[in-house]
Amino acid sequence: MNHTVATATATDAAACRDFLARHGVFPGHVDSRWATILASHYAMQATTLLARTSEGAISGLLFCYHRNGDGHTLYSPPYGLIAGDPAAAAALQRSASEIAKAAGLGRTIITSGTTDLAGPHHRWSRQSITLALPRLADDEAVLAWLPQKTRNMVRKARRNGLKISDTPQHLPDFYRVYRSRLTEKGLTLKPPGFFTDMATLFQDECLLLTALENDTVAGAMLFQISGTSAAYLYNAATERGLQAGCNNLLMAEAARNLSARGITRLDLGESMPGSGVFDFKTKGCGGQAEVVHYYDLMRLADTPPPRLAVGLAERVYGYAVSRSAFLPAALREVLLLKASSYGRVL
């Protein structure tokens, strides 16, 4: 079957939602509202490509983005390419490569989630964790559903006096904890307005859960909701909060809150097997690991990576970040913020 590909418009929104619902994926990753955040905070251009059958029905979707001016890679977010059949997927891949070439980019890195696509491209895989949420009527049902160790940690957190808030008023305090922790670890940072804009654009589809100790933020988790699915996107906690068990309490409250909203699937995101985060999501939360597939559409299998024209600014920031542990915290924070705009941000 032949498929044509074109850029989505506002009139395609309802048909896109129906297509994504039929394919059982979390549609929030490819929501066009992310384009506004990418443009305002990262000078990145986002495009939603739609593949259609000869009858005009949507047969595939790809959300992709790249940095304007000095970018070198076209990216997709997790589960960025969703297609009804291999021919539609191939048509979307060709169109993505054409966009990259027209923009002078050297790489096109996309992911099709758990669907393994055929093709000659260089490929690799990662582990992503998904949690199936049953109907949890009350707090006792949540505790009974949790693994024993997590249940004990939730009770410990409550004994330590931690309380959960589900209001967005704590977003500035969450960002302060997030900024401090990631700067300490030498990890790239989202800019200050990123989370505020996310809350504004997604409104009721954005859920911030905050663990409080005497009205002070000990930790928080930020979720995106779409249909009957949700995604766990961002987390930060103080060292004191971690010791008090705030992450376990936050995830227990997330399960209760999301279940009450009719959410049945929670995407916990990618993690490295054997890491503490992977163990928390699987052993601590009961999530199931799945293989997700990545492709570089401008590199054939078993060939070396291309030599990219990396700009001076990116080289300088990359070099500085690699040595950021030796820099003062304030300077390290500035560099980590700047460096975040040169790679994959969703």
Side-chain angles (χ1 to χ4, degrees), residues 317-340:
Y317 289 130
Y319 177 84
V321 167
S322 70
R323 287 155 178 77
S324 64
F326 304 102
L327 299 173
L331 178 57
R332 187 186 317 150
E333 179 184 323
V334 171
L335 291 170
L336 293 171
L337 277 168
K338 291 287 188 181
S340 70

Side-chain angles (χ1 to χ4, degrees), residues 137-339:
D138 51 32
D139 185 62
E140 288 303 315
V142 173
L143 289 174
W145 171 72
L146 290 170
Q148 180 65 49
K149 184 176 180 180
T150 305
R151 192 183 312 152
N152 292 339
M153 289 298 293
V154 169
R155 288 170 173 152
K156 173 185 175 181
R158 289 172 175 165
R159 288 196 301 272
N160 285 326
L162 295 185
K163 308 291 184 183
I164 299 296
S165 167
D166 63 358
T167 64
Q169 72 186 59
H170 301 292
L171 199 55
D173 293 321
F174 160 67
Y175 187 79
R176 281 191 283 273
V177 174
Y178 164 88
R179 181 182 61 196
S180 174
R181 293 295 288 180
L182 268 68
T183 300
E184 180 183 314
K185 295 178 181 180
L187 300 175
T188 56
L189 300 167
K190 303 298 184 198
F194 181 94
F195 299 117
T196 304
D197 285 356
M198 181 183 168
T200 300
L201 286 168
F202 290 98
Q203 297 187 20
D204 290 343
E205 296 169 271
C206 181
L207 172 65
L208 177 70
L209 294 178
T210 308
L212 301 171
E213 182 183 20
N214 297 324
D215 295 326
T216 299
V217 172
M221 290 181 176
L222 189 61
F223 300 83
Q224 184 188 0
I225 300 168
S226 189
T228 59
S229 301
Y232 162 53
L233 298 182
Y234 304 104
N235 160 249
T238 65
E239 189 61 38
R240 181 181 175 88
L242 291 173
Q243 294 298 321
C246 75
N247 278 348
N248 300 91
L249 182 61
L250 284 164
M251 194 57 75
E253 176 58 24
R256 188 203 64 77
N257 188 302
L258 294 170
S259 174
R261 295 169 184 249
I263 303 302
T264 58
R265 180 182 183 274
L266 176 57
D267 177 3
L268 298 177
E270 297 175 4
S271 295
M272 184 71 68
S275 68
V277 175
F278 184 91
D279 289 344
F280 172 72
K281 292 177 180 179
T282 53
K283 298 175 184 178
C285 301
Q288 297 297 312
E290 302 176 308
V291 175
V292 293
H293 303 280
Y294 281 78
Y295 315 87
D296 187 342
L297 302 183
M298 301 173 77
R299 177 184 173 190
L300 294 175
D302 302 319
T303 62
R307 295 177 63 87
L308 301 176
V310 178
L312 177 62
E314 184 175 359
R315 290 179 185 275
V316 170
Y317 289 130
Y319 177 84
V321 167
S322 70
R323 287 155 178 77
S324 64
F326 304 102
L327 299 173
L331 178 57
R332 187 186 317 150
E333 179 184 323
V334 171
L335 291 170
L336 293 171
L337 277 168
K338 291 287 188 181

Side-chain angles (χ1 to χ4, degrees), residues 51-71:
R52 296 182 184 272
T53 65
S54 56
E55 291 79 23
I58 295 177
S59 54
L61 181 151
L62 171 61
F63 182 88
C64 52
Y65 61 93
H66 66 89
R67 182 177 172 86
N68 287 319
D70 56 354

